[in-house]
Amino acid sequence: MRIRPARQPDLPGVREIERAAGQSFRGVGMPEIADDEPPSIEELSRYRRANLAWVAVDADDVPLGYLIAEPVDGNLHVEQVSVHPRAARRGVGRRLLDHLAGHAAATGVPALTLTTFADVPWNAPYYARCGFVVLDESDLTAGLRAIRAREAAHGLDRWRRVCMRRNL
């Protein structure tokens, strides 16, 4: 497996990775998350053009997982990281996160942030194993508060959410 910048022809496959990965939410009583539409090609293209979209690919250069990020309050915010179920539990997500951390550190960015479900095993508990820590409400930056407000408006607060940070 290797990680490379996402290319425009990868984007339909990235959407399929998101759809497939989302199905695991059905098993934890979150079918609405499983049914949520993945980012559009236009949204993914915006991340790609900003050089903030990567794919983990197999030996045949077929994407197994992806990560998109955006600058938020001087840090890089993990907007989404997903791995196709056929490649799950092989370190793909961790490698994508570590790749982003290396990119961020090389460009002088001090930390990665993300928002996630607190009680889903492959969300907050997983990210904690990857070096992220849960932020207290008082530690949220203006940008993270805005992201949380958008998530709440989208209905994600039906389940407990947290903001997390990984210092670099």
Side-chain angles (χ1 to χ4, degrees):
M1 175 190 60
R2 70 184 174 91
I3 297 173
R4 65 165 171 76
R7 301 175 188 143
Q8 195 67 27
D10 296 325
L11 302 185
V14 162
R15 295 187 82 227
E16 290 310 311
I17 289 169
E18 185 65 23
R19 280 191 185 99
Q23 294 310 305
S24 58
F25 284 94
R26 288 190 194 290
V28 294
M30 300 168 76
E32 298 88 344
I33 301 303
D35 293 337
D36 198 36
E37 270 299 297
S40 68
I41 296 291
E42 294 76 22
E43 287 177 274
L44 293 168
S45 294
R46 181 176 56 85
Y47 290 103
R48 188 192 62 74
R49 284 191 306 271
N51 298 313
L52 292 171
W54 293 270
V55 290
V57 297
D58 65 15
D60 296 321
D61 203 43
V62 174
L64 305 169
Y66 80 100
L67 183 148
I68 53 177
E70 62 185 343
V72 174
D73 299 326
N75 299 309
L76 279 180
H77 184 77
V78 179
E79 179 58 33
Q80 186 65 41
V81 58
S82 292
V83 175
H84 196 286
R86 72 174 180 268
R89 299 186 179 273
R90 294 188 200 160
V92 176
R94 184 181 294 267
R95 291 267 314 270
L96 284 161
L97 290 166
D98 289 345
H99 183 84
L100 180 62
H103 170 80
T107 58
V109 173
L112 305 180
T113 60
L114 56 81
T115 60
T116 193
F117 295 109
D119 303 313
V120 175
W122 61 90
N123 277 200
Y126 169 76
Y127 294 122
R129 292 191 303 275
C130 293
F132 287 82
V133 297
V134 173
L135 296 173
D136 290 328
E137 189 72 24
S138 62
D139 293 328
L140 300 187
T141 62
L144 289 175
R145 288 180 194 283
I147 289 168
R148 286 292 296 118
R150 283 194 304 273
E151 291 174 349
H154 191 67
L156 295 180
D157 279 6
R158 178 173 170 199
W159 305 277
R160 195 164 67 96
R161 304 266 306 159
V162 293
C163 292
M164 300 182 81
R165 178 183 170 107
R166 175 176 164 181
N167 291 327
L168 305 176

